[in-house]
Each structure stands twice: as structure tokens, then as C-alpha cells.
Amino acid sequence: MQNVEVLNEARATKIVVSCAHCFNTLSNEYPQLGGNYEVVHHTQLLNRLVRDKRLTPIAPIEGTGPSLGDAGAGSVTYHDPATSAGTTGSTSRRGS
């Protein structure tokens, strides 16, 4: 309840999260406590900014690339979005 009070006092209207569990809590549980916010996952925000041409991706750093099979390819960490998709309802690869 204290979190909702603090966010409401700050007049928060939109919250950007990086965690599927935070997304779920803020968008599905906080409204029951009086916290009604637009909750956006950071991947959705980044997608929207790129799509609207407000953010331009830069070229990959040398030694990294999209193909993991290439010799000399850099390390890639992949976070399975299953929790995000189940929580946000977003199953599109493009986000929303």
C-alpha cells in the first residue's frame, strides 16, 4: 500500500518496467489498491521508439552479430520471454 501512496503522491501516470513480474503486479494488482497506471515493458517502449523513428539503432559492435554460428561471434544472452508473454499478453515478436 505504501508504494501506491508514494506513486500517487508523485502523480505517476506511466511506469516503465524491465521485469515481467513487476509488469504483472503494477498492471493487475496495484489497481485493486488504488494505483492505476499505464504500465509499459521496456521492450515495448524501445520497439515503439524505433518504430516511430524516435530512436535509431546503431550498427552492431565488431565481433558480434545476429548469427551465433559465425566464427568470432560475440556472446549473446537470451532471456526467454515466456513469462513476459504470459504476463503482458504480448506474443508478437514486434511488441506493441
Side-chain angles (χ1 to χ4, degrees):
M1 189 71 163
Q2 182 180 0
N3 289 346
V4 172
E5 291 172 2
V6 170
L7 290 168
N8 286 343
E9 285 176 15
R11 296 188 176 144
T13 57
K14 180 186 281 188
I15 300 173
V16 178
V17 298
S18 61
C19 164
H21 298 289
C22 293
F23 184 97
N24 181 59
T25 300
L26 288 163
S27 60
N28 296 319
E29 296 177 19
Y30 273 38
Q32 299 170 22
L33 302 171
N36 297 295
Y37 318 107
E38 178 185 355
V39 183
V40 179
H41 194 270
H42 76 281
T43 57
Q44 295 169 314
L45 175 62
L46 292 172
N47 179 64
R48 188 177 306 143
L49 292 172
V50 170
R51 185 182 62 219
D52 294 345
K53 300 193 183 330
R54 294 176 58 201
L55 179 67
T56 303
I58 60 171
I61 298 170
E62 188 176 322
T64 66
S67 175
L68 296 177
D70 292 346
S75 297
V76 174
T77 301
Y78 175 75
H79 178 82
D80 184 349
T83 302
S84 294
T87 302
T88 66
S90 175
T91 56
S92 169
R93 295 177 100 186
R94 294 182 303 128
S96 63

